[in-house]
Amino acid sequence: MNNNNLIKVGTAAAKPGEIGEGAIEITKLAGGNVLSIPLTIINGKNPGPCFWINGGIHGDEPEGAITCALLRKLINPEKLSGSLILLPVMNIPAMEAGQRGNPLDTFSHDMNRIYPGKKDGYLSERIAHEHKNWLIETADIEISIHSGGSHSYLAETIFSTKDEKAQELSRAMGEPWYLSLYSNRPSGSPMSVMSEIGKPAITVELGGRSSTAPGSFLKVGEILKEASLNIMKHYKMIEGEAKYPAKRYKGYQKALLAPNSGIFLPEPSIKFRKMMNKGDLIAKITDYKGKELCNLNAPEDGMIFGLRAMPNVTTGDWCCFYAIIEGTWEK
Ligand SMILES: [Zn+2]
């Protein structure tokens, strides 16, 4: 809980009832531009928790940016209890280049693997370090928005730790978010630095390159906006009744990799996040002339929650995000 005083993050500041704009400044680049993380503080008139929404830690995943933009227009600090901190893009050089990692950094390319970062480390480690300092100082709750990026499309899926506070936050994402998997990255991410100090934080996945029909990107943003509003209702930051999934599935991710090179053809009848039985057909891989080379089958009972964006595939490529389902969460 903040004491409803001035909130400061980087160069941004906002008193209760105000919106503040600014950035976390990292360093000056050779051309004279300052490398910084832009952010907005919406500081509610009334006391309550400080909720951080982080987007774009991977530069090919702009879904966090659209979500923050939609929330920025909607949330009125006069009617907010607590505060909302919006960071549409954390990894600016990566987003500008449209790449997963920071092209200015050869040695710590994936920013979601290097937390808590390092004050005097590689460039991305310095970005992570500065971001982490402000995050753990001010945030009570955090979500990191991800997607399938340039390689895949992912349906609504949460990764989080198993503890009660993180599962409360997962459940608060609302009705469409009924798949909540154990994090396979217990360290290295914003979620991990929050969880180390006992604060709830989750990684959420939705969207990606194969969702590019007109309106699709906006729809992804709208779904993530609704989830963020549901969280704010759950923690009594805004008016309204939060809704929850009737049942939430738990389990862990298994990456299904291509056994052959060729063309990846998913079985048209399969659906995202619907239970499948071990052995069910997920896809076929054919050669360029259409000769069937192999089948990809469900490795255990579970669900598909993402598929590769490009049908052309090389041996060892990531084909399918599969969730091995172990049961349902108690709540
Ligand atoms: Zn990502």
Side-chain angles (χ1 to χ4, degrees):
M1 290 272 182
N2 70 64
N3 58 9
N4 210 32
N5 289 330
L6 177 85
I7 296 180
K8 202 178 170 311
V9 179
T11 64
K15 289 181 196 151
E18 283 183 359
I19 296 178
E21 303 283 358
I24 299 171
E25 293 183 348
I26 312 297
T27 190
K28 202 169 186 181
L29 299 173
N33 293 328
V34 176
L35 172 55
S36 56
I37 306 172
L39 68 103
T40 302
I41 301 171
I42 306 178
N43 193 358
K45 204 172 174 185
N46 305 306
C50 178
F51 175 26
W52 274 55
I53 300 180
N54 286 312
I57 197 168
H58 291 137
D60 58 345
E61 302 173 10
E63 290 75 10
I66 184 86
T67 309
C68 289
L70 293 169
L71 287 164
R72 172 72 175 79
K73 282 187 200 143
L74 198 66
I75 301 300
N76 179 355
E78 291 288 321
K79 293 182 177 166
L80 180 67
S81 300
S83 53
L84 184 62
I85 316 284
L86 302 169
L87 277 81
V89 177
M90 294 158 65
N91 196 345
I92 291 290
M95 185 67 65
E96 287 174 343
Q99 294 175 7
R100 182 175 174 86
N102 179 356
L104 304 176
D105 187 339
T106 314
F107 298 102
S108 50
H109 197 64
D110 188 337
M111 200 170 134
N112 204 40
R113 307 282 185 269
I114 58 173
Y115 273 72
K118 218 170 163 190
K119 192 177 165 51
D120 56 355
Y122 296 113
L123 182 58
S124 300
E125 290 179 322
R126 294 178 193 227
I127 302 173
H129 175 79
E130 284 300 317
H131 174 260
K132 179 261 318 179
N133 284 349
W134 288 107
L135 177 72
I136 62 174
E137 188 182 315
T138 56
D140 296 306
I141 309 161
E142 186 259 354
I143 67 170
S144 277
I145 297 177
H146 289 252
S147 74
S150 57
H151 60 86
S152 301
Y153 172 85
L154 298 184
E156 293 91 336
T157 306
I158 298 170
F159 288 98
S160 75
T161 56
K162 294 181 185 177
D163 71 90
E164 228 170 82
K165 279 187 194 168
Q167 286 309 317
E168 181 187 348
L169 177 55
S170 297
R171 184 169 170 265
M173 285 285 286
E175 282 176 314
W177 298 84
Y178 58 80
L179 181 58
S180 188
L181 304 177
Y182 321 134
S183 173
N184 51 0
R185 298 273 170 202
S187 65
S189 65
M191 172 169 76
S192 67
V193 293
M194 284 287 282
S195 116
E196 268 169 32
I197 54 169
K199 292 179 176 179
I202 56 176
T203 296
V204 305
E205 305 270 3
L206 178 63
R209 184 185 253 184
S210 43
S211 184
T212 54
S216 291
F217 180 58
L218 184 60
K219 191 180 165 203
V220 162
E222 294 283 356
I223 294 169
L224 287 160
K225 179 197 80 181
E226 286 304 322
S228 306
L229 294 175
N230 205 66
I231 287 173
M232 287 190 265
K233 288 171 189 166
H234 175 82
Y235 291 98
K236 312 282 181 231
M237 296 175 69
I238 56 171
E239 289 276 309
E241 192 104 347
K243 290 181 176 166
Y244 307 100
K247 168 155 94 165
R248 296 192 309 119
Y249 290 91
K250 63 180 174 182
Y252 57 94
Q253 170 183 308
K254 187 174 169 65
L256 306 187
L257 308 182
N260 288 91
S261 305
I263 300 293
F264 178 74
L265 271 179
E267 162 59 31
S269 64
I270 58 168
K271 298 256 185 300
F272 285 124
R273 302 188 309 150
K274 228 182 146 198
M275 276 308 286
M276 301 180 77
N277 296 319
K278 182 178 179 176
D280 283 355
L281 179 65
I282 295 171
K284 291 177 186 299
I285 294 177
T286 71
D287 70 11
Y288 289 160
K289 293 177 179 174
K291 185 182 158 205
E292 288 179 15
L293 301 174
C294 65
N295 287 342
L296 202 67
N297 299 96
E300 298 288 340
D301 294 355
M303 294 175 184
I304 287 168
F305 63 98
L307 284 175
R308 61 180 289 106
M310 299 271 275
N312 42 324
V313 69
T314 303
T315 305
D317 269 348
W318 200 313
C319 289
C320 175
F321 289 77
Y322 196 83
I324 311 274
I325 298 298
E326 290 191 328
T328 53
W329 295 97
E330 259 177 51
K331 262 172 90 176

